Amino acid sequence: TNIKQDKENDFLGFALSDEIINRLGYLKSIVVRPSGSVRKYQGIEADLNQVGKDLDVELVLTGSYLRDGDQLRLSTELIDLNKNERLWNKTVQVNYSDIFEIQETVSRDIVESLKYNLEPDEESNLKSKDIDPLAYELFLRAKDMPTGNISNLETKIQLLQQSIDMDSSFAD
């Protein structure tokens, strides 16, 4: 959830959750629901027990974020639905250019709270890669855009092309 309710940074909500889901998806002993399954809950006040039933999950990660200038703060909670308790919560604040640090920190915190021991290949998949932050932002903005009309598709293609021109090492 975007605390500030500003359209300019709304893309970060899905982008942050999508990247955390991608990182956790590499873990072999837990099942992580894909981004498409959870996107429908973005920006709404959902009943977490109903979300758990809908997605057939025992744990739910919720979060809110605030971008203020060059600072980004993300507050997260991991909730055990069966026990109706919070396993952990954490607030991380970084420079916006260090957005990857937030994704890595949250992913690691989840792993630690579950008392999960990482295998070497899982460890490397949780680490942030050296990526140009502006290229990544353009990629995330494009990824978040709806594709319902030609104008949006053209803008999406332009954003992706700009991102690839800056740093082609992380995008397909």
Side-chain angles (χ1 to χ4, degrees):
T1 305
N2 184 353
I3 292 174
K4 215 175 195 182
Q5 302 283 320
D6 63 333
K7 297 288 183 199
E8 180 66 22
N9 291 301
D10 277 350
F11 77 96
L12 285 170
F14 186 70
L16 288 167
S17 62
D18 185 46
E19 290 303 312
I20 292 167
I21 287 168
N22 287 340
R23 286 173 189 262
L24 293 173
Y26 289 109
L27 302 179
K28 297 171 185 165
S29 71
I30 64 172
V31 176
V32 178
R33 297 294 178 243
S35 300
S37 297
V38 300
R39 187 171 193 143
K40 64 184 171 187
Y41 301 107
Q42 181 182 355
I44 65 167
E45 198 70 33
D47 175 356
L48 294 183
N49 288 316
Q50 187 60 49
V51 170
K53 288 177 188 168
D54 292 348
L55 297 175
D56 190 25
V57 296
E58 297 171 11
L59 304 173
V60 174
L61 178 68
T62 64
S64 60
Y65 66 95
L66 173 66
R67 181 177 179 188
D68 189 19
D70 291 339
Q71 294 293 303
L72 179 65
R73 185 176 67 223
L74 176 67
S75 298
T76 53
E77 291 183 317
L78 185 64
I79 300 166
D80 183 327
L81 298 174
N82 293 331
K83 296 178 182 176
N84 194 29
E85 69 181 23
R86 181 173 50 194
L87 294 179
W88 65 260
N89 67 309
K90 186 166 187 175
T91 298
V92 180
Q93 184 165 333
V94 297
N95 286 328
Y96 184 70
S97 61
D98 294 332
I99 191 171
F100 309 110
E101 181 183 328
I102 284 181
Q103 296 163 354
E104 185 174 338
T105 299
V106 171
S107 300
R108 285 193 182 283
D109 287 346
I110 291 170
V111 169
E112 288 172 13
S113 73
L114 297 175
K115 311 276 190 272
Y116 180 73
N117 293 321
L118 294 173
E119 294 179 16
D121 61 325
E122 294 174 318
E123 180 73 36
S124 68
N125 285 326
L126 282 181
K127 289 183 180 172
S128 295
K129 299 180 177 41
D130 190 22
I131 299 170
D132 181 306
L134 182 55
Y136 186 62
E137 179 177 339
L138 293 169
F139 170 76
L140 293 178
R141 285 182 184 277
K143 195 172 177 180
D144 188 57
M145 287 189 75
T147 55
N149 62 49
I150 297 296
S151 176
N152 280 359
L153 283 173
E154 289 171 345
T155 302
K156 191 171 194 160
I157 290 168
Q158 289 172 351
L159 290 171
L160 289 170
Q161 189 59 56
Q162 288 175 322
S163 174
I164 290 167
D165 289 346
M166 289 177 178
D167 186 348
S168 63
S169 65
F170 73 96
D172 293 338

